[in-house]
Amino acid sequence: MSKQQAIPMIFSQVKQVNWPTLNQFLSATALPIVGIVIFLGLWSLMAKNIDTSLGNFPGPAAVWQQTKVLVDEHNAQMEKAEKFYLRQEERNAARLAKDPSYQPKIRAFTGAPTFLQQIWTSLYTVMVGFIVASFLAIPLGIVCGLSKNSYTAINPLIQLFKPVSPLAWLPLVTMVVSAVYVSDDPMFSKSFITSAVTVSLCCLWPTLINTAVGVSSIDQDLLNVSKVLRLNALSHVIKIVLPSSIPAIFTGLRLSLGIGWMVLIAAEMLAQNPGLGKFVWDEFQNGSSESLARIMVAVLTIGVIGFALDRLMLMLQRKVSWDKSAVLR
């Protein structure tokens, strides 16, 4: 192919590419940036005019400064822990050199958890509670969607427990876990079990309800196809029910994960269980001049994580759903 023939072909292919328009570019990037800038400006102006018992309400600059301080505190704590374990290894090596029969022991570092460690604790707890609730809610929702009798029997329980606040569940869960989960060497701490169970109880219902609605709304033509192919119950669920109801199921999962994240923070604050909620409450009780800024760091972190979890669920939905044209919202 000559150069004169190749150039027109390249230009024609470039024209066929679906380039984003200026409006699409502005909507995707510029407008969110403008919204964030306006929010930061209003926040900075209002913060200067709000006086509290601990001083002025923190603005963006103060919050950013405390963010760096919290990261530095985490790095310093990790350095202390590393030196702590290194000293133990040196002592054990010296002891073994003198007494080969000595059984070395490694004691855990008992320093206060840092802000970043509290974030990981909350994320781990909410994901465990969410996964447990999902494994319960999706099968039960499928049963309710396929059988009107099952839905009629279970619906009163759903409507009874769905509105119950996590603050009402927490004392009951705490007492039950303390009575049942008894072990000299537990695999998980009671605080973790309490928080995870509370999250599961509160984020169970949106997934269950949306799954039941999605399953009961399957197109009759698909049900007829299943009858023509004479699929057994398991094959019917796997090949017809689940693919058809995935959008509704993921809507419930997104709602459940958002509710679970909010419930967890409240549970950690009330029960003083490790996590971001406890960090917020401890800073509130601390009452130092930097406490408000550190609380704002935690609040923004909670919001960012909640947004990221929702985006993650949307990406997962698009990955597993048959409808690849679904738009992330």
Side-chain angles (χ1 to χ4, degrees), residues 10-33:
I10 293 173
F11 274 107
S12 64
Q13 291 178 351
V14 170
K15 289 180 180 180
Q16 293 176 1
V17 176
N18 187 19
W19 298 102
T21 64
L22 180 60
N23 290 334
Q24 290 174 334
F25 175 77
L26 291 176
S27 299
T29 57
L31 292 180
I33 292 175

Side-chain angles (χ1 to χ4, degrees), residues 175-195:
M175 289 187 290
V176 170
V177 170
S178 299
V180 174
Y181 190 67
V182 180
S183 174
D184 295 332
D185 186 20
M187 181 179 298
F188 303 103
S189 64
K190 289 184 179 181
S191 60
F192 166 76
I193 298 295
T194 300
S195 296

Side-chain angles (χ1 to χ4, degrees), residues 84-93 95-96 101-108:
F84 175 79
Y85 289 116
L86 183 60
R87 288 196 298 269
Q88 287 194 75
E89 291 177 0
E90 291 175 351
R91 286 197 297 266
N92 288 333
R95 184 72 179 272
L96 283 171
S101 63
Y102 173 70
Q103 297 294 329
K105 297 179 181 178
I106 300 295
R107 290 182 172 83

Side-chain angles (χ1 to χ4, degrees), residues 298-311:
V299 168
L300 293 175
T301 302
I302 291 168
V304 168
I305 292 174
F307 175 76
L309 292 175
D310 185 71
R311 296 297 98 177

Side-chain angles (χ1 to χ4, degrees), residues 108-141:
F109 182 70
T110 57
T114 66
F115 179 67
L116 298 183
Q117 289 174 322
Q118 302 278 42
I119 293 175
W120 165 248
T121 300
S122 292
L123 277 173
Y124 178 67
T125 305
V126 77
M127 290 311 298
V128 170
F130 169 72
I131 290 172
V132 171
S134 300
F135 274 109
L136 293 174
I138 293 176
L140 192 57

Side-chain angles (χ1 to χ4, degrees), residues 54-314:
L54 300 178
N56 286 336
F57 191 83
V63 171
W64 176 248
Q65 179 64 30
Q66 287 304 313
T67 301
K68 295 190 290 186
V69 170
L70 288 170
V71 173
D72 291 340
E73 290 177 355
H74 171 78
N75 293 333
Q77 189 78 317
M78 293 300 97
E79 186 177 349
K80 287 182 181 179
E82 185 178 353
K83 292 180 179 178
F84 175 79
Y85 289 116
L86 183 60
R87 288 196 298 269
Q88 287 194 75
E89 291 177 0
E90 291 175 351
R91 286 197 297 266
N92 288 333
R95 184 72 179 272
L96 283 171
K98 295 180 179 179
D99 182 10
S101 63
Y102 173 70
Q103 297 294 329
K105 297 179 181 178
I106 300 295
R107 290 182 172 83
F109 182 70
T110 57
T114 66
F115 179 67
L116 298 183
Q117 289 174 322
Q118 302 278 42
I119 293 175
W120 165 248
T121 300
S122 292
L123 277 173
Y124 178 67
T125 305
V126 77
M127 290 311 298
V128 170
F130 169 72
I131 290 172
V132 171
S134 300
F135 274 109
L136 293 174
I138 293 176
L140 192 57
I142 291 174
V143 171
C144 291
L146 292 176
S147 172
K148 291 184 179 180
N149 291 333
S150 298
Y151 180 76
T152 302
I154 297 175
N155 186 52
L157 298 176
I158 297 174
Q159 303 307 323
L160 176 65
F161 292 116
K162 180 167 62 76
V164 177
S165 167
L167 304 183
W169 280 118
L170 189 59
L172 298 174
V173 173
T174 302
M175 289 187 290
V176 170
V177 170
S178 299
V180 174
Y181 190 67
V182 180
S183 174
D184 295 332
D185 186 20
M187 181 179 298
F188 303 103
S189 64
K190 289 184 179 181
S191 60
F192 166 76
I193 298 295
T194 300
S195 296
V197 171
T198 304
V199 168
S200 296
L201 287 173
C202 294
C203 68
L204 179 72
W205 314 113
T207 300
L208 196 160
I209 293 171
N210 279 272
T211 301
V213 171
V215 172
S216 62
S217 303
I218 296 176
D219 195 325
Q220 186 62 41
D221 290 340
L222 294 174
L223 299 179
N224 293 336
V225 169
S226 178
K227 292 178 181 178
V228 169
L229 296 177
R230 296 181 180 180
L231 299 178
N232 57 41
L234 182 59
S235 298
H236 174 69
V237 170
I238 294 175
K239 296 182 179 180
I240 302 295
V241 173
L242 282 178
S244 302
S245 55
I246 273 180
I249 292 174
F250 268 90
T251 299
L253 290 173
R254 287 177 60 196
L255 291 172
S256 292
L257 188 55
I259 291 172
W261 183 239
M262 291 188 294
V263 164
L264 176 65
I265 303 302
E268 289 172 346
M269 292 182 67
L270 183 63
Q272 287 294 282
N273 293 336
L276 280 172
K278 186 177 187 302
F279 175 85
V280 172
W281 186 255
D282 288 344
E283 289 298 331
F284 175 71
Q285 294 294 323
N286 183 24
S288 67
S289 57
E290 295 85 13
S291 292
L292 286 179
R294 294 164 77 93
I295 291 174
M296 278 301 302
V297 174
V299 168
L300 293 175
T301 302
I302 291 168
V304 168
I305 292 174
F307 175 76
L309 292 175
D310 185 71
R311 296 297 98 177
L312 180 64
M313 292 303 300
L314 278 170

